[in-house]
Amino acid sequence: MTSTDAHEYESRSKLWEKSMKEPMVPIGLAGTVAAVMYGAVNYRKYRRAGMSTSVFLMQFRVIAQSMVVGCMTLGVGYTLVSDYVLKHRQPAKTSPRYYTDQVQDYRQMESNFWKE
């Protein structure tokens, strides 16, 4: 493996790690590429139908901005759910995990008390 191969592999692994950490970024990039391709195809179609370029670009801008706002809303919703709903969920009092957590908390408090 040459140094360029190693650098390429390292770049790919970093890209993969970042995309796993922030899944909205690759989704946004794919959406941008899809929107540009859709706009290019439809521009040719509407240009033949007689629609002016400025009207087409204004409509495309509104659609693109709507998609950005929608993606941002989904991203904020995902972050809120993952940070505040899933992480702070308390186990039910009937589950064995609840009692295990209570015993561990009690032992921790007791050890801290006797250390002081």
Side-chain angles (χ1 to χ4, degrees):
M1 185 185 283
T2 64
S3 66
T4 56
D5 291 339
H7 180 67
E8 184 178 330
Y9 178 75
E10 184 178 316
S11 298
R12 281 191 207 157
S13 65
K14 283 183 181 179
L15 179 65
W16 182 254
E17 287 176 16
K18 286 184 180 184
S19 65
M20 289 294 110
K21 188 175 182 182
E22 298 290 336
M24 295 304 282
V25 173
I27 293 170
L29 288 173
T32 301
V33 169
V36 168
M37 295 301 292
Y38 175 77
V41 169
N42 280 339
Y43 177 72
R44 292 187 66 180
K45 183 171 75 173
Y46 287 124
R47 187 73 176 151
R48 289 186 201 140
M51 180 185 282
S52 69
T53 304
S54 63
V55 171
F56 176 77
L57 290 177
M58 288 299 288
Q59 288 179 352
F60 190 67
R61 181 185 65 88
V62 170
I63 292 169
Q65 286 178 334
S66 301
M67 296 298 285
V68 167
V69 169
C71 287
M72 288 177 65
T73 304
L74 289 174
V76 168
Y78 172 78
T79 303
L80 288 173
V81 168
S82 66
D83 287 351
Y84 293 106
V85 175
L86 299 178
K87 285 189 179 177
H88 298 295
R89 185 180 296 175
Q90 294 291 330
K93 288 187 176 183
T94 57
S95 73
R97 183 173 164 225
Y98 175 80
Y99 294 110
T100 305
D101 291 345
Q102 294 296 319
V103 169
Q104 288 175 352
D105 290 344
Y106 177 74
R107 287 180 182 161
Q108 184 68 31
M109 287 183 346
E110 186 178 9
S111 67
N112 289 339
F113 176 76
W114 290 111
K115 285 180 183 177
E116 295 175 357

